[in-house]
Amino acid sequence: MITFIVSIILLIVAYFTYGKFIDKLFAPSDERSTPAYANNDGVDYVPMSKQKNAMIQLLNIAGTGPIFGPIMGALFGPVAFLWIVLGSIFAGAVHDYLTGMISIRNKGAHIPELAGRFLGKASRHIVNAFSLLLLILVGTVFVTTPASLIDILLDQRIAFSIILGTIFLYFFLSTVLPIDKIIGRIYPILGAILLIGTVAIGISLLFSDYKIPELNVTNMHPDNLPVIPILFFTITCGALSGFHATQSPIISRTTQKESQGRYIFYGMMIAEAIIAMIWAAAAMSLFDGQTLSGIIAEGTASAAVNEIAITLLGAIAGTIAVLGAIVLPITSGDTAFRAARSIIADYLNIGQKKIFNRLAIAIPLFAISYILTKIDFNILWRYFSWANQATAVIALWIATMYLFVKGKNYFVSMVPAIFMSYMVFVYILNAQIGFRLELNVSFIIGAILTVILTFLFFKKAQTNKTNKLKVDM
């Protein structure tokens, strides 16, 4: 258990050390009025307490990813622990913090608007399309996975279509009603269920007879899939996820003070990484790669979640843990659609005070998502994973531009931006859903494309700095 325990300790220590360093670098100021007060509209811009914002942020970002992703990532063996720990500390938490804080400084702007401001007007349109693709995929994936878990939990006694429809109805109400009417009220309760279930799994694992494997970098995947780049697209939430860049601006619009940012954005990403560690360790401890692969193939990762929970906690407590796993995707799917509505409204400059305007945007979104539920889940997950990490790359480059123009240490976001840009290129060049090139060829072309991208970024960065781009509105 040494690797597992040390990993948890490193994550906690990072919040008080590297997290504090990143916070000091950004230099939050409580003298500035946050969008929650400056733009208060009673719908999306509403001041809420630090604890409430933190819990909503955690539930927003911790969808299916920190459970399903680590379980599927466990197929690679303990090398998955490395990505969860290092990825979350130096990439994911930095990504979430800077995205949230830059949004606060820019009137609660979503990532397409930030891309247009910092990376050029053309990028706003590209990122807008990318963000909407990602959010619709997220919403669809996060309605399908909890529905499959509930179906297992109820032993198929209720029609799957009824379960799916009920979740869609909740998503719809959460999307169109003011944020403090449903999300702000029920999230603390749902958060308690999540935390109780996850902590129970972790404690039970520590005191069970199952052995948590120690760190090694040997590829243990039963199908011999390459660790690089696939691991970085299997474990996303829990390490680094572009979906978070679409969620942090939601909370940037409800944050009371800038000084709360480290706790809300960096801290909740660390909490998500701990959740990911627990589920990855449980999957590695209970199953060998071949068995786990078979369980996932038979019923997606939902079946593995149910098996782990019941085995470690028994029928009653295990059911509570499964409820926690159901809570996660539901509380990310609702805000995925809410973020999509906000992004479209901002892009088309449609005010959101009137319920008709909200319905006009929301109804087509849900119609598209319903159609997507008919597509095979594994195909959806692959497209979601790539779109997710591509969005993370965009957010990291936005953060790098912000820091560069302000004359601050931009390496903290540039290093993960370059690394993940390379992974995104390699993956799409090699993947079955992409260009299907040989892996070695993909590595070479990916490196060339990453160098070109970095060159173009610095060319634009110098122009922005020369023109004294205003980065704080």
Side-chain angles (χ1 to χ4, degrees):
M1 296 186 185
I2 294 172
T3 300
F4 177 74
I5 293 171
V6 168
S7 296
I8 299 295
I9 292 171
L10 284 174
L11 287 167
I12 295 170
V13 169
Y15 170 74
F16 294 100
T17 54
Y18 197 65
K20 196 169 185 178
F21 167 75
I22 297 296
D23 191 50
K24 188 176 180 181
L25 174 68
F26 187 87
S29 171
D30 287 344
E31 293 181 5
R32 294 176 58 96
S33 177
T34 62
Y37 294 105
N39 301 79
N40 193 329
D41 64 358
V43 178
D44 296 315
Y45 295 85
V46 180
M48 292 195 295
S49 69
K50 175 182 171 181
Q51 282 301 137
K52 186 174 284 189
N53 277 325
M55 185 57 70
I56 294 174
Q57 174 72 0
L58 176 60
L59 292 173
N60 282 0
I61 65 175
T64 299
I67 294 180
F68 281 40
I71 286 174
M72 292 190 285
L75 292 169
F76 291 97
V79 68
F81 292 151
L82 270 180
W83 172 230
I84 293 171
V85 174
L86 299 179
S88 63
I89 293 172
F90 297 107
V94 172
H95 166 281
D96 290 14
Y97 174 83
L98 290 176
T99 303
M101 296 302 288
I102 293 169
S103 178
I104 286 176
R105 289 282 176 92
N106 285 269
K107 301 179 180 179
H110 276 285
I111 188 171
E113 188 177 340
L114 294 175
R117 187 168 299 160
F118 295 120
L119 303 181
K121 291 182 179 179
S123 66
R124 183 187 177 214
H125 307 299
I126 296 169
V127 176
N128 194 72
F130 232 98
S131 298
L132 288 175
L133 169 66
L134 173 62
L135 287 166
I136 292 172
L137 285 172
V138 166
T140 306
V141 168
F142 289 0
V143 74
T144 304
T145 50
S148 65
L149 274 169
I150 293 170
D151 193 42
I152 292 170
L153 208 59
L154 298 176
D155 199 23
Q156 300 180 329
R157 286 192 290 268
I158 296 177
F160 187 76
S161 58
I162 293 176
I163 298 171
L164 206 67
T166 303
I167 296 173
F168 262 128
L169 177 61
Y170 165 71
F171 280 5
F172 185 78
L173 293 173
S174 297
T175 300
V176 299
L177 293 177
I179 193 167
D180 58 341
K181 300 304 180 189
I182 292 184
I183 292 174
R185 291 182 180 179
I186 70 168
Y187 267 38
I189 300 168
L190 298 178
I193 296 171
L194 160 67
L195 294 175
I196 290 169
T198 303
V199 169
I201 290 284
I203 293 173
S204 179
L205 186 62
L206 288 174
F207 291 98
S208 71
D209 293 329
Y210 294 100
K211 183 180 179 183
I212 303 175
E214 300 296 350
L215 180 63
N216 69 75
V217 293
T218 304
N219 184 0
M220 296 183 178
H221 200 289
D223 297 328
N224 202 34
L225 294 178
V227 173
I228 300 174
I230 294 178
L231 177 62
F232 307 112
F233 295 83
T234 303
I235 301 177
T236 53
C237 297
L240 170 68
S241 171
F243 172 63
H244 299 188
T246 68
Q247 299 303 290
S248 293
I250 293 176
I251 302 305
S252 78
R253 299 178 176 195
T254 60
T255 301
Q256 295 170 320
K257 297 187 293 186
E258 287 191 358
S259 59
Q260 298 172 348
R262 179 166 70 101
Y263 181 75
I264 294 170
F265 299 117
Y266 196 100
M268 293 307 104
M269 178 61 224
I270 294 297
E272 187 191 46
I274 293 172
I275 294 170
M277 281 294 303
I278 289 171
W279 284 97
M284 289 181 210
S285 303
L286 269 66
F287 312 112
D288 59 73
Q290 203 65 51
T291 303
L292 180 59
S293 181
I295 292 172
I296 292 172
E298 285 178 17
T300 74
S302 300
V305 169
N306 189 65
E307 186 77 21
I308 290 168
I310 300 301
T311 301
L312 287 174
L313 300 175
I316 297 175
T319 300
I320 295 174
V322 173
L323 286 173
I326 290 168
V327 161
L328 281 176
I330 288 177
T331 54
S332 290
D334 55 5
T335 49
F337 285 113
R338 189 178 187 89
R341 172 182 64 76
S342 295
I343 286 173
I344 293 172
D346 291 350
Y347 186 73
L348 300 177
N349 197 26
I350 300 173
Q352 293 297 281
K353 279 192 175 183
K354 294 180 180 178
I355 186 68
F356 176 80
N357 291 350
R358 284 174 257 157
L359 291 172
I361 297 172
I363 290 172
L365 284 175
F366 280 93
I368 294 169
S369 181
Y370 176 74
I371 294 168
L372 288 175
T373 61
K374 306 301 179 183
I375 298 175
D376 179 71
F377 173 81
N378 291 320
I379 294 173
L380 272 179
W381 185 269
R382 291 190 200 109
Y383 279 107
F384 155 67
S385 295
W386 184 77
N388 190 33
Q389 298 306 66
T391 304
V393 164
I394 294 166
L396 285 166
W397 282 119
I398 290 170
T400 305
M401 183 68 78
Y402 179 92
L403 295 173
F404 182 90
V405 172
K406 294 203 79 170
K408 297 193 173 187
N409 178 7
Y410 56 88
F411 285 92
V412 297
S413 55
M414 187 186 73
V415 172
I418 290 174
F419 175 75
M420 283 309 300
S421 295
Y422 181 50
M423 290 299 109
V424 163
F425 284 132
V426 171
Y427 181 85
I428 202 64
L429 289 167
N430 174 250
Q432 290 297 304
I433 63 169
F435 295 93
R436 304 185 182 186
L437 299 178
E438 291 290 332
L439 187 57
N440 288 335
V441 175
S442 300
F443 281 136
I444 295 168
I445 297 176
I448 294 169
L449 292 174
T450 303
V451 170
I452 292 171
L453 177 65
T454 306
F455 171 78
L456 292 174
F457 169 82
F458 275 106
K459 187 177 179 182
K460 177 66 177 176
Q462 289 293 349
T463 301
N464 284 345
K465 197 161 189 177
T466 300
N467 294 337
K468 297 180 179 179
L469 176 73
K470 188 177 180 181
V471 293
D472 294 326
M473 302 301 288

